[in-house]
Amino acid sequence: HRIKDYDSTDPEVTAAISAHDILALTHQVRTVKAVRVNDATSQTIPTGAWTAILFDAESEDTDAFHSTSSNTERLVAPEAGLYLVTGFVYLDPQTLGVVTVFQARIAHSDGSFHGRIHVPPIAGFATYGQALPVSALVRLSAAAYVQLELFHDKTAAGTLTVNATDVSRLTMCKV
């Protein structure tokens, strides 16, 4: 019997559904392992150096990917596999100032880099700020980590600033 033939008054059909269809569905459903972190405070980003963005708040963390007390820039893979990593860096125009180069990338603990984006300042930056989205599929071994890094060429160190609606974020989920 299939689910479409289900008759709750027939115990034989109910047993068949319980034993067959639910078992088949159980094999198809899996728990998603995911984390989403964001920065809740400002951070100074030095000029001319790749700098890891620190994340001090979590909105989701299913498997202890992230710590809010140590190595807050890292998302650590709880198990080996392929992960989708997505980062978003928001730069406040009043604190970072005028630059000619913004770059963001996802750095792997093995020294490789993924999903690098290079964006020149856009018109309206002084009013609206600059956002850099970056994403990549990254194969990680258990306990390997990724982090979101930012580079700029302002003549003085800039500050990564958070406000009520624009925050930098990093997410990772096993695919």
Side-chain angles (χ1 to χ4, degrees):
H1 295 284
R2 305 299 308 155
I3 291 176
K4 66 181 179 178
D5 301 325
Y6 181 74
D7 178 359
S8 62
T9 62
D10 183 347
E12 190 175 311
V13 173
T14 304
I17 290 170
S18 298
H20 177 71
D21 292 327
I22 293 178
L23 181 61
L25 290 172
T26 303
H27 290 292
Q28 295 175 21
V29 177
R30 66 182 175 116
T31 303
V32 175
K33 296 179 181 300
V35 61
R36 180 178 179 185
V37 296
N38 60 286
D39 59 337
T41 57
S42 61
Q43 177 184 350
T44 299
I45 306 297
T47 300
W50 285 100
T51 304
I53 306 302
L54 304 176
F55 296 99
D56 52 5
E58 300 171 347
S59 58
E60 188 72 40
D61 191 354
T62 63
D63 289 78
F65 285 85
H66 181 256
S67 170
T68 56
S69 60
S70 66
N71 298 317
T72 63
E73 72 281 5
R74 297 178 181 176
L75 297 183
V76 180
E79 62 187 44
L82 187 62
Y83 290 84
L84 174 61
V85 182
T86 304
F88 179 82
V89 180
Y90 173 76
L91 307 167
D92 187 306
Q94 283 70 41
T95 56
L96 191 58
V98 178
V99 299
T100 58
V101 173
F102 288 118
Q103 295 181 62
R105 68 184 180 189
I106 297 166
H108 188 297
S109 56
D110 70 2
S112 62
F113 306 102
H114 306 273
R116 183 172 168 170
I117 186 170
H118 172 103
V119 179
I122 58 171
F125 174 73
T127 304
Y128 304 108
Q130 182 84 37
L132 292 107
V134 61
S135 62
L137 283 170
V138 182
R139 187 158 304 280
L140 297 169
S141 58
Y145 65 86
V146 293
Q147 60 192 30
L148 181 60
E149 296 179 340
L150 177 69
F151 176 93
H152 71 86
D153 71 348
K154 183 182 172 195
T155 55
T159 303
L160 189 66
T161 301
V162 176
N163 65 36
T165 57
D166 299 307
V167 296
S168 296
R169 298 181 180 95
L170 185 60
T171 62
M172 183 164 89
C173 66
K174 189 165 187 229
V175 293

